[in-house]
Amino acid sequence: HTLYKVLIVDDEPDIHRVTEMALTGFEFDGCGIEILNAYSAKEAEATLRQHPDTAVILLDVVMESDDAGLNAVKHIRETLKNNNIRIILRTGQPGYAPEEQVIREYDINDYKTKTELTRSKLVTSLVAAIRSYEQLRQLELQSLGLEKVISASKSILGITDIHDFSNAVVTQLADILDCPALGVLCAKINNELLI
């Protein structure tokens, strides 16, 4: 990872400018951020289709409609099936959508009023969100690796011929390690060296 993608979604251009200024020079684990901008929930959905590897979205609640942000959350989680992206909901109208109810009903990771998000709190929220995103990404990679190992085991288990077995082992190891299937497998069976 060289840059973590952060999507700012707000219908007020000033919020984009202030947020970008606050995040100037931001780094996490030696990586910077790439800021993406959307000015409506629809634009956000289109941007996320183009950038499914977005780490964090700073999402306004009220935009083209009173619940545009909440509808965007549903779209991200249910339609785009993006469960890794961390969603920080921001509202300029505290009390409009009750915080506890929103956190219970929607898969969001943080809920802040725009006035309480000082630079320090924004950076803290962003660090926590990116850390969480990175952990989810690592779990996903480990899960895919485990699936490859299980698949490789299944395809090797039924082989009784040693040469076919050897070929299958090299092929499956290459798949797991994501490299070309070139290699030699040596085995000693009943004091006989097989290559």
Side-chain angles (χ1 to χ4, degrees):
H1 246 298
T2 52
L3 295 173
Y4 288 102
K5 294 179 182 177
V6 176
L7 174 60
I8 302 170
V9 185
D10 202 297
D11 58 350
E12 297 177 44
D14 286 348
I15 296 294
H16 287 261
R17 281 193 290 277
V18 168
T19 305
E20 286 181 40
M21 282 176 30
L23 295 177
T24 300
F26 175 91
E27 273 194 12
F28 175 77
D29 246 6
C31 298
I33 57 173
E34 175 186 350
I35 294 182
L36 307 170
N37 300 89
Y39 296 87
S40 69
K42 291 279 182 244
E43 270 186 50
E45 292 165 11
T47 303
L48 289 174
R49 275 192 293 277
Q50 291 177 324
H51 301 274
D53 59 338
T54 299
V56 181
I57 181 171
L58 300 168
L59 179 63
D60 188 16
V61 177
V62 179
M63 291 178 286
E64 61 263 44
S65 67
D66 290 345
D67 58 356
L70 297 176
N71 289 335
V73 172
K74 278 189 166 183
H75 182 80
I76 291 164
R77 300 298 194 213
E78 295 171 11
T79 306
L80 298 179
K81 304 277 188 230
N82 189 332
N83 294 312
N84 287 353
I85 190 171
R86 306 294 76 199
I87 300 173
I88 300 173
L89 212 55
R90 301 196 296 180
T91 180
Q93 299 162 344
Y96 180 78
E99 183 176 343
E100 190 177 325
Q101 179 189 346
V102 168
I103 286 182
R104 284 182 197 274
E105 292 181 21
Y106 294 87
D107 185 7
I108 63 166
N109 308 101
D110 208 348
Y111 184 105
K112 301 282 186 195
T113 61
K114 291 178 187 175
T115 53
E116 75 176 310
L117 267 181
T118 61
R119 181 189 189 281
S120 173
K121 286 185 179 179
L122 179 61
V123 167
T124 301
S125 289
L126 197 56
V127 165
I130 290 175
R131 182 174 287 127
S132 176
Y133 168 80
E134 192 56 36
Q135 290 167 346
L136 286 171
R137 228 175 50 80
Q138 290 303 318
L139 283 172
E140 190 175 64
L141 290 173
Q142 290 170 1
S143 176
L144 290 173
L146 187 57
E147 284 176 24
K148 282 185 174 184
V149 169
I150 291 169
S151 172
S153 299
K154 285 179 184 175
S155 63
I156 292 173
L157 283 176
I159 301 173
T160 54
D161 179 75
I162 192 66
H163 289 85
D164 291 344
F165 177 80
S166 301
N167 280 335
V169 168
V170 169
T171 302
Q172 294 305 323
L173 279 173
D175 186 45
I176 290 168
L177 299 173
D178 198 25
C179 64
L182 305 170
V184 176
L185 181 70
C186 298
K188 189 174 182 182
I189 299 176
N190 298 331
N191 288 328
E192 184 182 343
L193 184 64
L194 299 169
I195 297 178

